[in-house]
């Protein structure tokens, strides 16, 4: 079996441990070398992974044992690293954010399209089973016309000791809670809701750093949905929340909870069951008769369903979708155009925050 040889390009982002085990465990891939902008850090990772450290990125791209690159470097370096990789004919997988500016995104897109290399981006929540279920409910019409999506993502970065010193340097990272954590909300909303109309953002620098660490964005979409994205690096505990509200139902997911909850018109219960064959559900029917004795009954029969998240079909990691596209021609939905749309949303949010205004797309 011919293996796909992949170089780890950059060891800056804390998601490095998410990728190298996949590259080392798959029989059809091999992790062959490491590059990093900081030689000490790069050498440490190379020794840990048992592969050579290559100090010169241009030389790495010339190596015969490099077919593709997995970019986990500083956000500010993404554009240059990806353009050079594409021009060298190397397939590209990148951690988010894609690029800092839309101008950079267009340049990378042109280079990727011209070279024909395969591109993938780390839309990890778009393959998380509980999030995929939310989109399935929307696509099946079980929630009716969706008018609100709210996603909250937070970590206590002030207590984390696995972040590089320049994590909170805007010139390196491109931003704080908005750029790193807000990316997840924005690519999920792009994936679910489509074309944005405008964005407004507010934030505080709770710790007085160069970047924001507590932020809330609202995005209006052409389909009539309002998206609310909350991100924080400054709270003790912030469970990942994913909520979808529609005219006929709602979906409530807390990523650390064993069950997700769906509230919907009871007449759609059978259709919902068909989405999850073989999975045991907790179901309750509420109301159904117009009566002053119960406020719930005024809304008609309502089904409350709790879904065991651990039993949901497991999706493949975005990096595996990328590898399968290269090796076997399989579909990878998270392509270069996704990356460009994400940068458009993130740059719009940065402008809205900096200029204290609503930015139109």
């Amino acid at each position: 079996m011919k293996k796909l040889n992949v170089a780890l390009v950059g060891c800056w982002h804390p998601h490095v441990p998410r990728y190298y085990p996949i590259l080392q465990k798959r029989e059809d891939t091999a992790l062959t070398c490491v590059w990093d902008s900081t030689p000490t850090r790069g050498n440490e990772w190379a020794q840990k992974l048992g592969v050579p450290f290559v100090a010169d990125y241009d030389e790495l791209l010339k190596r015969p044992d490099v077919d593709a690159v997995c970019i986990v470097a500083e956000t500010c370096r993404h554009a240059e690293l990806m353009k050079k990789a594409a021009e060298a004919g190397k397939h590209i997988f990148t951690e988010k954010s894609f690029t800092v500016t839309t101008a950079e995104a267009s340049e990378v897109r042109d280079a990727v399209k011209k070279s024909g290399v395969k591109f993938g981006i780390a839309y990890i929540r778009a393959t998380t089973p509980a999030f995929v279920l939310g989109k399935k409910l929307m696509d099946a019409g079980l929630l009716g016309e969706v008018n609100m999506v709210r996603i909250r993502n937070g970590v206590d970065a002030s207590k984390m000791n696995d972040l590089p010193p320049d994590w909170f340097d805007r010139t390196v990272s491109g931003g704080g809670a908005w750029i790193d954590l807000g990316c997840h909300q924005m690519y999920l909303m792009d994936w679910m809701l489509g074309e944005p109309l405008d964005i407004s953002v507010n934030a505080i620098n709770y710790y007085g750093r160069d970047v924001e660490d507590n932020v809330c964005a609202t995005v209006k979409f052409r389909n009539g949905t309002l998206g609310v994205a909350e991100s924080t690096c400054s709270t003790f505990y912030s469970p990942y929340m994913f909520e979808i509200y529609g005219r006929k139902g709602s979906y409530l997911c807390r990523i650390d909870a064993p069950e997700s909850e769906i509230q919907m018109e009871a007449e759609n219960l059978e259709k919902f069951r068909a989405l999850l064959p073989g999975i045991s559900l907790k179901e309750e029917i509420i109301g159904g008769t117009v009566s002053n004795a119960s406020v719930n009954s005024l809304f008609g029969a309502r089904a409350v369903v709790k879904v065991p998240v651990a039993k949901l079909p497991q999706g493949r990691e975005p990096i595996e979708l990328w590898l399968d596209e290269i090796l076997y021609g399989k579909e990878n939905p998270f392509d270069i155009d996704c990356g460009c749309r994400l940068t458009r949303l993130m740059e719009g949010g940065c402008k809205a925050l900096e200029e204290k205004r609503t930015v139109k797309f």
Side-chain angles (χ1 to χ4, degrees):
M1 174 187 296
K2 184 183 184 302
K3 292 189 175 185
L4 182 76
N5 294 316
V6 184
L8 181 64
V9 174
C11 310
W12 178 79
H13 199 284
H15 284 177
V16 171
R18 193 177 191 103
Y19 307 126
Y20 76 77
I22 294 172
L23 298 172
Q24 290 187 320
K25 289 178 181 178
R26 282 183 57 138
E27 294 182 355
D28 53 5
T29 62
L31 179 59
T32 55
C33 57
V34 171
W35 172 88
D36 191 79
S37 61
T38 303
T40 301
R41 183 171 59 202
N43 267 302
E44 288 176 354
W45 272 103
Q47 291 176 19
K48 178 178 179 178
L49 300 175
V51 296
F53 171 69
V54 182
D56 188 320
Y57 183 59
D58 293 332
E59 290 303 313
L60 179 144
L61 294 176
K62 296 176 183 177
R63 289 173 63 107
D65 62 351
V66 174
D67 305 312
V69 294
C70 175
I71 297 176
V72 206
E74 301 93 325
T75 307
C76 66
R77 299 182 186 275
H78 279 195
E80 180 184 8
L81 294 172
M82 287 188 284
K83 282 191 293 183
K84 284 188 173 184
E87 290 164 359
K90 310 299 181 182
H91 304 293
I92 302 165
F93 181 83
T94 185
E95 178 60 51
K96 47 78 189 158
S97 261
F98 175 50
T99 59
V100 177
T101 68
T102 53
E104 291 175 334
S106 295
E107 291 176 0
V108 175
R109 182 183 182 277
D110 290 346
V112 167
K113 295 284 187 179
K114 182 178 180 180
S115 66
V117 299
K118 303 301 183 184
F119 174 90
I121 189 167
Y123 282 16
I124 57 176
R125 292 305 171 205
T127 62
T128 300
F131 288 72
V132 172
L133 176 57
K135 189 172 189 302
K136 283 184 177 180
L137 290 167
M138 288 179 57
D139 293 346
L142 293 175
L143 304 181
E145 293 182 2
V146 171
N147 49 50
M148 172 75 78
V149 171
R150 174 180 177 262
I151 311 174
R152 178 173 179 81
N153 182 15
V155 297
D156 189 357
S158 64
K159 294 183 180 179
M160 295 171 66
N161 58 13
D162 60 346
L163 295 176
D166 53 7
W167 186 262
F168 300 102
D169 182 339
R170 184 175 300 277
T171 61
V172 175
S173 64
W178 170 243
I179 287 295
D180 180 57
L181 298 174
C183 268
H184 293 291
Q185 287 90 312
M186 289 300 99
Y187 70 65
L188 284 168
M189 290 182 185
D190 170 69
W191 177 56
M192 293 186 297
L193 305 176
E195 182 69 17
L197 292 178
D198 62 50
I199 185 169
S200 301
V201 185
N202 208 345
I204 60 173
N205 290 36
Y206 186 79
Y207 290 103
R209 297 189 178 101
D210 184 41
V211 296
E212 72 287 346
D213 49 35
N214 202 6
V215 61
C216 180
T218 56
V219 187
K220 185 161 55 179
F221 290 86
R222 190 173 298 280
N223 67 359
T225 306
L226 187 65
V228 178
E230 303 170 13
S231 301
T232 180
C233 295
S234 58
T235 56
F236 168 68
Y237 176 66
S238 180
Y240 211 136
M241 304 294 296
F242 178 42
E243 305 167 18
I244 308 174
Y245 298 98
R247 294 294 302 277
K248 295 184 177 182
S250 58
Y251 178 67
L252 308 173
C253 168
R254 175 172 155 168
I255 203 169
D256 63 346
E259 297 175 328
S260 290
E261 180 176 299
I262 300 96
Q263 306 239 3
M264 71 181 90
E265 293 181 348
E267 63 186 37
N268 287 327
L269 185 54
E270 195 62 41
K271 187 177 179 181
F272 172 71
R273 291 176 184 145
L275 282 182
L276 300 174
I279 296 180
S280 179
L281 307 171
K282 295 179 183 178
E283 302 174 357
E284 180 184 5
I285 303 297
I286 298 174
T289 304
V290 176
S291 166
N292 291 331
S294 171
V295 173
N296 287 327
S297 66
L298 298 177
F299 298 98
R302 174 165 54 97
V304 181
V305 185
K306 294 186 177 180
V307 180
V309 174
K311 299 295 183 181
L312 292 172
Q314 295 299 304
R316 293 179 70 73
E317 285 273 335
I319 192 171
E320 295 211 68
L321 295 174
W322 170 67
L323 293 170
D324 290 345
E325 180 186 20
I326 297 168
L327 290 164
Y328 309 114
K330 294 186 178 181
E331 180 184 5
N332 175 20
F334 309 119
D335 58 14
I336 190 72
D337 293 324
C338 291
C340 290
R341 293 197 302 272
L342 175 59
T343 294
R344 181 189 180 197
L345 283 163
M346 302 313 296
E347 185 183 52
C350 287
K351 286 182 179 179
L353 184 57
E354 180 181 354
E355 300 173 9
K356 302 185 186 311
R357 67 181 178 90
T358 296
V359 171
K360 297 184 181 300
F361 293 106

